[in-house]
Amino acid sequence: MALLLPGSASTGCYLWRATTQPVSGRGAALALSLTLVALVLADRLSADRIGLRRQVRTWGAAAVLVVVATACVGLAWQGRSGCATSPAVIGFVLCGGLATVVATHWATRLTTPAPLFAAPPEDPENSSEEILDQSELRAVFVELTAFATSPALRRPVAVPVLAGSLATLLLLSTVLPWRELLDPVALGPAGAEAGLVRVQLWEIPYARTWAVLLAIAAVAVVCAAISRSFAVLRPLAVLAGALAIGGVLTTLVQLPDQLIDGVGYRAGIGAWLALALGVALFGLGVAARGQRLLVVLLAATVGLGAGLLAPAAAAPEYRAVVVAGVPHRLLELQGGQLVDRLGMRVAIGTSDPLDSIAGTLDGTPGQWLLGRTGSESSTLFEYRDGVAFPRVTLSHGVTPPALLGVENNRMVVLAGGAGNRPWAILAIPLTLVTADVSLSHKNPDGSYYVTPDVTVLATGKGSALTHRNADRSVVIWGGTTTWQIPADRLRAGLDLKSYVVDPGPGAPGNAVSTGPDGTAAWRTSNTGLAMLRPGSKAQQLTGVAPAGCELSRDAASSSLTVDAFAVDVRGNLWLGGGSPTAVITPDGVLRRLPGGAAGVDSIEARPDGSVLLGTSPGGGDQILEITGAAEAAASYPAAPEPEARCDRRKPAAGSTQYRVSVVAEVPAVDPPGKEAAGTGRQLGLDARGRLVQVRLPNAAHTWAPDGLGGVWWTTNGQGKTANEVAVHLVGGVAKAVADPQPGLPNQRGEYAAAAGDRLVSAIGDDLYNLYGPGAQVSRMKVDGALRPNGLAQLGSGEVAMVLDERLVLVGRDGRRTPLFGGSPSGWPISSVGVAPSQLTTDGEWFAGPDGKLWGYDGSHLVRVEAPGRITTIAGPAQGVPQAADQVTVIGSSLFFALGNDTVRLDPR
């Protein structure tokens, strides 16, 4: 039993597992069971021949010792520590050691028969001289005569030997392959056997209960055969035979039909052997005579019923039972693996689990999964009737493709799309065995090489991400463009230019989700999210609430961290991420998902009204399904009203009206000189006064705009001192100012701010370098923890810093003037009638067009007039964008970065 019951999968050590590489010692472990059964049977058969029995026990003990030692050495030789904790290995070692001790005891403690003629007693005084009682002697003789003529002694030994042998073989057949998956995907030139994936009975999840019953019945038959208990041997043989016949016929023979290309399951040699042995045992039990027919019929009925009911091979497809919209697992995913009803395990093939699973593009029933089957390869599995069938293997390199769907016997994927590498939309026929979609080679005409018969629908370069919408469209975004393509347009000759979408500022290059009713949601920035319903104005949803605001009826008044969003078929907007999963219904109310789902990385709203959530709890991917989510959303309980300090439905009004415009594409320019450009960019003016994006040098530590169109950055100087060097780029001309003081150990700039010809740079350890007019450089120490990017250089020479949740003004002499703040989750800075100590310092601080300290909290522009005095300059009503990533001042204009868009504000 220790051999047949595998250990935990986490140990990585099995005595017998047909689907993995052989484990050293498993052959000897299998031989131990055969040796023990053979030794017991041989010992019982030689019970009447004392000399032969002694030899059987001696050689049997030696054989058991050799087998156990061989298996132990083999298990220890593989050197895996997990084997020490495997229940199978522990059970084998203990049982093997016990068997060795018992066999040795048999060989050395064989009972010696008494001599025929006993020696005369040494003490004649104690000997009995009485004559034997003739009546007692006659009674003993009669009893021995009856025993000698008993039918039990005359009964042949063939019946128990045959029954025990059949039961032993039936037990051992469970370690042979019971099911084989014919996988033409893995065939190639290696022949038919290369495409077979074999599974034993104990590895089939639904058959484990039946396997235990079968093992118990077989062991019971063996025990009855050894003890020659003919009264119970016949019913037990019928029970084991009926159990094997019923189980095999209801599980392994009734496998799903094979697909057209030959992929499918078939019964293995273990199943056919068990069926043959079951028939033989059943026939042996029925054919024997001298037993009561009622007991045999009862045993046959019990065995057949257990064989029919214990396995569940023909169980229906997995259906999630959803109560009030609570999410359930889809496709039995366990730790990022699909486990179908036949025990097939398929690992998720992409970092986003929803990129691995897809339906049919035309809406017909079907489920497809792209599973990782190698470090640089994946296989498409068709999930039909609860069973996964492998179809096409893709060789994709390091970056796995995203599965868009299947239609017209072809799969559509987005291949590539990592970093600055190419990407392509490919249509791959399901009739192919393998396909190369790595895009690592080009043809002579400049097109990317792919396997023949694979159609390239469209190509691009740079990062590319994708998701599917409830209106049967596919969205691809990355770089500076977003495309939304109807699923029925994914054909050869696809023109991406016809499907560019831009629902509002921030959309180009960002994710967009739309529903059949026309509702659209899109990212405006890294944290901002906006929504537009038909016939209404765009509404900012996230990125504008103060820190610490709980979920409330108003999304803009909740501190939401949205990592994924989707619009369903009824216009509900689903939000997931670091915050609890929620949904905004068409009435504008934010509702929390009952039951919750933490750590949602991606969301997909399907045309059937269901919603899928991709999560990674504990590091393993999961896919949760909410069936009927579109209808159930309106019944979710509404979140409470927002707190007063969080309520953004009544934004503060400003005093300055702005003219808002979206800047056309801003060209990028390289830094002057031979500096290598990095990934950082900063808005500025070139020599002709045009707005450009300056590609900052790769060696730049910090950078900041000077408010007049110039850009500052800092780098390490040359020489042993490694002092800091500040570079000021104005009108295409760069001027460098070196810090005369030697650099600190491992000094590296952290944050910087500038105003005109002044720059402040945080260099660590509460130290700051101040660069002033005329190449003046000084160093200042200010105690306190600086918030990231919590610096603002003013034209007067003073520096504003956010230290320990307080905004302070620091002069060049180091004198500090507290302005306001102190509460990490206080009131917004645009609030009126609030004590200065209760205001939050969240936001971005900079020198405004008038040279004073300005702030932007994601919703409003404010100006600090004096300690405790704050004026709201403008808000959403005056055209201030919400949830922008960055604010840059150039003259009297303000430029807001909304994703890949740049919004310009000019005072009227």
Side-chain angles (χ1 to χ4, degrees):
M1 294 300 294
L3 168 68
L4 298 178
L5 294 176
S8 172
S10 61
T11 63
C13 185
Y14 289 78
L15 290 179
W16 184 271
R17 186 183 177 103
T19 57
T20 61
Q21 295 180 352
V23 177
S24 300
R26 74 171 186 176
L30 179 61
L32 177 63
S33 301
L34 296 173
T35 303
L36 293 180
V37 173
L39 176 60
V40 172
L41 290 176
D43 181 78
R44 298 297 298 167
L45 292 176
S46 61
D48 296 333
R49 302 178 62 181
I50 299 175
L52 178 61
R53 192 178 193 187
R54 179 187 296 274
Q55 294 183 5
V56 167
R57 291 186 173 185
T58 301
W59 289 106
V64 171
L65 178 62
V66 171
V67 170
V68 172
T70 302
C72 292
V73 171
L75 293 173
W77 181 261
Q78 59 186 350
R80 283 188 284 177
S81 58
C83 291
T85 59
S86 172
V89 174
I90 294 176
F92 169 77
V93 172
L94 293 179
C95 295
L98 180 62
T100 303
V101 173
V102 172
T104 304
H105 175 75
W106 281 6
T108 57
R109 303 286 294 178
L110 188 64
T111 303
T112 303
L116 183 62
F117 300 99
E122 297 179 358
D123 188 4
E125 296 180 0
N126 295 331
S127 61
S128 177
E129 297 180 354
E130 297 182 2
I131 302 176
L132 292 176
D133 188 276
Q134 296 298 323
S135 60
E136 292 181 0
L137 184 61
R138 182 176 181 278
V140 171
F141 178 79
V142 171
E143 182 178 355
L144 291 177
T145 303
F147 178 77
T149 58
S150 173
L153 290 181
R154 296 196 307 268
R155 182 170 297 170
V157 298
V159 174
V161 171
L162 182 59
S165 301
L166 292 176
T168 302
L169 294 176
L170 177 63
L171 186 64
L172 294 178
S173 69
T174 60
V175 302
L176 298 175
W178 273 64
R179 191 187 67 231
E180 295 175 340
L181 169 62
L182 183 61
D183 180 9
V185 171
L187 288 180
E193 291 300 316
L196 289 180
V197 179
R198 297 180 173 90
V199 178
Q200 69 179 53
L201 180 64
W202 297 91
E203 291 180 314
I204 303 176
Y206 62 80
R208 287 176 181 171
T209 303
W210 173 50
V212 172
L213 295 178
L214 189 64
I216 293 175
V219 171
V221 173
V222 173
C223 294
I226 292 175
S227 62
R228 298 187 184 183
S229 301
F230 288 88
V232 297
L233 179 60
R234 185 185 182 192
L236 288 178
V238 172
L239 174 66
L243 185 64
I245 295 172
V248 171
L249 293 180
T250 55
T251 58
L252 298 182
V253 174
Q254 297 179 359
L255 294 174
D257 296 333
Q258 293 186 358
L259 303 180
I260 299 176
D261 54 4
V263 176
Y265 292 87
R266 67 186 183 188
I269 185 175
W272 295 120
L273 180 61
L275 181 61
L277 294 173
V279 172
L281 271 175
F282 187 84
L284 181 66
V286 172
R289 299 179 181 180
Q291 302 295 332
R292 288 176 294 182
L293 182 60
L294 181 61
V295 177
V296 174
L297 293 178
L298 181 61
T301 303
V302 172
L304 187 61
L308 293 173
L309 300 178
E317 183 179 356
Y318 174 78
R319 297 289 184 184
V321 180
V322 180
V323 180
V326 177
H328 284 253
R329 288 179 179 177
L330 175 68
L331 300 181
E332 299 280 12
L333 278 172
Q334 301 176 5
Q337 285 188 334
L338 177 150
V339 183
D340 68 7
R341 64 184 179 87
L342 294 182
M344 170 64 73
R345 293 181 178 270
V346 181
I348 291 296
T350 57
S351 57
D352 183 352
L354 294 187
D355 279 344
S356 291
I357 185 172
T360 54
L361 293 173
D362 58 2
T364 57
Q367 196 71 268
W368 304 80
L369 180 75
L370 191 64
R372 182 63 70 90
T373 51
S375 60
E376 297 185 358
S377 64
S378 299
T379 300
L380 177 70
F381 289 83
E382 181 178 356
Y383 193 80
R384 178 186 297 184
D385 297 329
V387 181
F389 296 97
R391 301 302 300 269
V392 184
T393 293
L394 304 179
S395 177
H396 48 66
V398 179
T399 305
L403 178 62
L404 302 182
V406 176
E407 186 180 22
N408 295 332
N409 205 32
R410 61 177 189 158
M411 61 182 296
V412 183
V413 300
L414 174 67
N420 211 16
R421 296 180 57 81
W423 57 265
I425 305 176
L426 305 176
I428 305 168
L430 299 183
T431 55
L432 292 178
V433 174
T434 60
D436 182 3
V437 297
S438 60
L439 306 179
S440 56
H441 304 285
K442 284 189 175 183
N443 297 316
D445 60 357
S447 61
Y448 294 107
Y449 169 78
V450 291
T451 301
D453 295 334
V454 174
T455 304
V456 180
L457 305 182
T459 60
K461 191 173 183 180
S463 60
L465 300 172
T466 181
H467 70 78
R468 295 172 293 270
N469 284 334
D471 58 1
R472 299 196 187 283
S473 64
V474 175
V475 176
I476 301 174
W477 74 94
T480 58
T481 310
T482 300
W483 301 273
Q484 185 171 355
I485 311 168
D488 57 358
R489 303 296 176 84
L490 293 171
R491 300 286 189 272
L494 176 66
D495 184 12
L496 290 178
K497 296 180 181 179
S498 303
Y499 302 104
V500 177
V501 293
D502 185 7
N510 286 338
V512 175
S513 180
T514 59
D517 64 344
T519 302
W522 69 95
R523 284 204 181 277
T524 59
S525 63
N526 293 334
T527 58
L529 187 68
M531 180 176 63
L532 177 64
R533 296 191 182 276
S536 62
K537 296 182 179 180
Q539 177 187 4
Q540 187 74 29
L541 299 177
T542 63
V544 296
C549 292
E550 300 292 335
L551 290 183
S552 62
R553 293 174 61 94
D554 181 26
S557 300
S558 307
S559 292
L560 288 173
T561 301
V562 177
D563 295 326
F565 62 95
V567 179
D568 66 20
V569 294
R570 296 208 171 188
N572 303 302
L573 176 60
W574 296 80
L575 308 174
S579 303
T581 304
V583 57
I584 301 177
T585 48
D587 57 3
V589 177
L590 182 68
R591 305 173 186 272
R592 187 166 180 172
L593 176 66
V600 174
D601 301 322
S602 55
I603 301 178
E604 177 186 341
R606 290 194 160 183
D608 60 358
S610 63
V611 170
L612 303 184
L613 307 177
T615 67
S616 301
D621 293 328
Q622 296 284 359
I623 296 179
L624 306 179
E625 180 185 26
I626 310 175
T627 56
E631 298 180 1
S635 64
Y636 296 168
E641 293 291 335
E643 302 176 13
R645 73 177 185 88
C646 301
D647 197 343
R648 311 298 290 185
R649 292 174 294 182
K650 299 177 181 179
S655 57
T656 303
Q657 293 289 337
Y658 284 96
R659 182 174 61 255
V660 182
S661 60
V662 178
V663 180
E665 186 176 354
V666 181
V669 298
D670 292 331
K674 298 182 180 180
E675 294 281 358
T679 58
R681 298 190 180 190
Q682 179 63 60
L683 285 177
L685 301 178
D686 64 4
R688 293 185 291 176
R690 296 181 309 170
L691 184 66
V692 295
Q693 288 188 3
V694 180
R695 294 191 184 99
L696 298 164
N698 191 37
H701 298 162
T702 61
W703 56 86
D706 65 1
L708 301 174
V711 180
W712 283 87
W713 66 77
T714 62
T715 61
N716 281 338
Q718 302 295 329
K720 298 182 180 179
T721 58
N723 56 340
E724 186 180 68
V725 176
V727 180
H728 190 194
L729 178 64
V730 180
V733 179
K735 297 180 180 180
V737 180
D739 180 11
Q741 301 188 45
L744 302 175
N746 300 323
Q747 175 180 329
R748 181 178 177 87
E750 297 176 347
Y751 313 107
D757 54 1
R758 296 183 181 275
L759 172 73
V760 57
S761 171
I763 60 176
D765 295 331
D766 300 333
L767 293 177
Y768 301 84
N769 277 348
L770 302 176
Y771 298 84
Q776 299 179 15
V777 184
S778 61
R779 183 167 292 180
M780 176 177 61
K781 181 177 178 62
V782 181
D783 296 330
L786 178 69
R787 176 182 293 175
N789 294 319
L791 277 177
Q793 174 69 62
L794 303 182
S796 62
E798 295 176 305
V799 179
M801 302 179 182
V802 180
L803 302 173
D804 303 321
E805 304 298 337
R806 290 180 174 83
L807 183 65
V808 298
L809 198 63
V810 182
R812 297 185 68 88
D813 56 358
R815 185 177 58 184
R816 302 169 55 166
T817 303
L819 297 177
F820 66 87
S823 177
S825 58
W827 290 72
I829 56 178
S830 58
S831 303
V832 295
V834 178
S837 60
Q838 295 300 313
L839 294 175
T840 179
T841 55
D842 293 341
E844 184 176 350
W845 301 97
F846 53 92
D850 57 1
K852 295 184 178 180
L853 180 61
W854 285 36
Y856 172 70
D857 65 351
S859 180
H860 294 80
L861 287 173
V862 299
R863 181 172 57 226
V864 181
E865 306 289 357
R869 283 182 49 199
I870 299 174
T871 301
T872 300
I873 298 174
Q878 289 75 43
V880 176
Q882 300 180 64
D885 294 325
Q886 186 182 26
V887 183
T888 302
V889 178
I890 300 180
S892 61
S893 302
L894 290 90
F895 296 86
F896 293 79
L898 286 170
N900 292 294
D901 284 342
T902 300
V903 178
R904 178 172 180 169
L905 268 64
D906 294 297
R908 292 182 182 274

